[in-house]
Structure formats: structure tokens, C-alpha cells
Amino acid sequence: NSRDAKLFCQSALTPVRFLCFNVDIDVSPVAVDDASDSDDVDVAIELTLNRVFKVADHVGAVRALALSPAGVLATGGADCLVRLYDLNKKRSAGLLDQHSATVAALAFSPKGDVLLTAAHDASLALFQTSDWEGLLVLKGHRSEVESLCYHPSGRLAISTGRDRSLRLWDLTRGDEVYYASFKPRDVLSAHFCGADAAYIIVVSRDLLTLHSVRSVDVRDVLAEVATPPGAALISTVCCLGEHVLVGYADGTVEVRAVPTLTPTTKSASGAGEEAGATAPVNPPSLPLLSSARLFDSRIKCSAPLPPLMDAIGAEGVSGPLLVAVAAADGTAAVLQVAEAGDDIKVAAKTVLLGERPTAVSGGFLDL
């Protein structure tokens, strides 16, 4: 069996462009010992990464990418615009000019019916993808919004900003339902993770902390990953269900487990106070499953690809997880993570000569 995926990588150089790659996937059965009683099907997977096209539409750095299940690519840039591309028809699908500053983050809802945008004008905006009509403008951050993440239910989202805060939004009502300040800690991003997306991971350069969504109290640190003094700093995080991939400034990649933990703080009072005020003194570390230095420069960005075996229609077959990454030296790659998280390797890569990647996105499309 074979299947194509799309991987998108954006560059911060001038002229500003984003590039599209085919991830050609060949999957073939592997001979299994007849004496084995196992019903599992083993497969051999081969990936190749081939550049398909590049586009230079933005005036200024491209800062964000998002791909919908229907094949619509959204890009956000320093020109304050969100540009849309219909990959099925291979043409531009228009632009959105809601924001008055750099568009720093984009995310489609799990069903692809809503696009959520965040910008340096301290606002978030929602658009329905059927006609690109604006639905809501969400305000609460006091400075630039830098990241956002949809909950798998499509009803919630989290955002982080340069005001060093995390905000939890109810998108069905357009309300901010929780706010926490992490001062003096800088917050790079936040992600839903774990079984049923029951946890939130908050990422800083030297610290990654795990919090419970159910207790609605991010002051309660359930587990963490702290970089020792002088060690390489955290540069990107990608959540893969019950696994977390952590990329570092020295090119190292780790895979850690997200265990099922019970929060010690049940109260949701004190929202808006400094995070960590009631946190355990020594929270446990997220279990390390594997670690390897796979790149020669800082890993700048990462994004999950859909489960490979689901994408190729291989029912009842287990397989690895795939993650798209880009490094500061211009390397774009697909990492293959074992289902158990105990092995990680570069499955396919290419070097973007003269490019400086800033973000990646990808998905499997029927084109």
C-alpha cells in the first residue's frame, strides 16, 4: 500500500515563502514466522520527502501554518494577514484581514469547520470555514498572543502570550473561563495532552510542566521536565496523545510518557495569581522513554502528523507515530516514533538550501 502526505515548511527569509512537500509512504508486509501465535501484522515502512511547490505571497515573515482535514492551508504572517489556499484545486482561496499585527498562531478545529487565529494585537478570532465569516473576536491577553491549541472536543482552546499568561477559552460561548499568570516565567506555548486530553503542558525555555485540565488549576504542577544549568534549552514540544516529543537547542530529541496522575490541589480559586504558588516542592519528572541527538542545530518547530496506519487504511495494524520537524540549519524532516515511544529515528529529511524554517504543519490529504 502507499499514500502521500503533505508537509509544509515556512521560511523567515525574504522573499518570504512557504514550501510544500510530498511525503511518499510505501507500506509492505513483512514475513512473519509461521510458528508465531500472534495475530499482529508487521509492516515495513519507507518514507521519502519530495518538494512539490513553493509560494511567496506574504510581505514579511511567515509565522504560522495550519492545514484543515478538507485540504485548506492557512498561513499567517508579519503582514497581519491570514492567506488561504485550496490544495484540492491548487489555487489561492482568499485572505482574512481581521488582525492589525503579526499573525503568530493558527489552528483548525478537529472537524475543520472553524479556523482559530491569534496575533500580536493581543486578540484571537474565529472564522467558519464554509464561507470564512468571522464568528468571534476573543480579547483578554494584555500583549502579543504567541500560541494556541484546540482541545480535541473542539469546544475549548488554550492560548499563551508575552504577558506570561495562559488562558482557557470556551469557544461555544466565546468566554475566557480560566486565566493564570506565570510571572516571572516566560511561556512559549501550551498544549493539551494525555489520554482524553486531560492534561495541559506548559512550555518554557528551561522548564516543561504538566497540569490537570479537570482540576482547572494550573498552579498544581503534577510533573515536569527541567533542564539542568548550562544544558541545552527546550526549543519545541509536540504532543502525541500519551507521549510528548521534546526538541532542544542542541538538536536532541526526547520522547517522554504522560502518566495518569492525580492533582493534589482541587480548588480552582486564585485564578490570575502567580502559577506555582501552591505547587509541590519537588514534582516528579515525566518518564523518559528515548533520547537521541538527531540534528546538528536547534530544532525550531514540530507538528504531529496523523496516525500513519489510520491514514493508509490499514485496519488492525499498529505502527509508528510521525512528527514533522524543522531545524535552524534548514533541515526539514519526518521523525518516526515507535508506538511505545522507546525508539525514535529520522524517517525522511531534506535540506532547504538558503531557507530558515520557522514552523511546520502537515497532514494526509486525498488530492
Side-chain angles (χ1 to χ4, degrees), residues 193 199-201 208-212 220-223 258-259 261 286:
C193 66
Y199 302 102
I200 294 175
I201 280 185
L208 182 157
T209 53
L210 183 73
H211 311 268
S212 173
D220 187 12
V221 179
L222 303 179
V258 180
L261 300 169
L286 286 178

Side-chain angles (χ1 to χ4, degrees), residues 130-201:
S130 58
D131 56 8
W132 299 109
E133 179 182 353
L135 301 175
L136 292 170
V137 175
L138 305 175
K139 295 185 177 181
H141 284 278
R142 298 177 181 177
S143 63
E144 297 95 326
V145 185
E146 290 288 0
S147 80
L148 55 83
C149 181
Y150 248 110
H151 189 272
S153 68
R155 299 184 60 184
L156 300 173
I158 47 177
S159 62
T160 65
R162 291 187 185 177
D163 56 2
R164 298 177 177 178
S165 74
L166 176 149
R167 296 169 193 266
L168 178 66
W169 305 90
D170 183 334
L171 301 181
T172 61
R173 298 183 304 174
D175 293 339
E176 177 188 300
V177 296
Y178 186 75
Y179 153 73
S181 171
F182 282 80
K183 294 178 181 179
R185 174 184 170 190
D186 287 324
V187 179
L188 301 181
S189 61
H191 312 263
F192 291 106
C193 66
D196 300 322
Y199 302 102
I200 294 175
I201 280 185

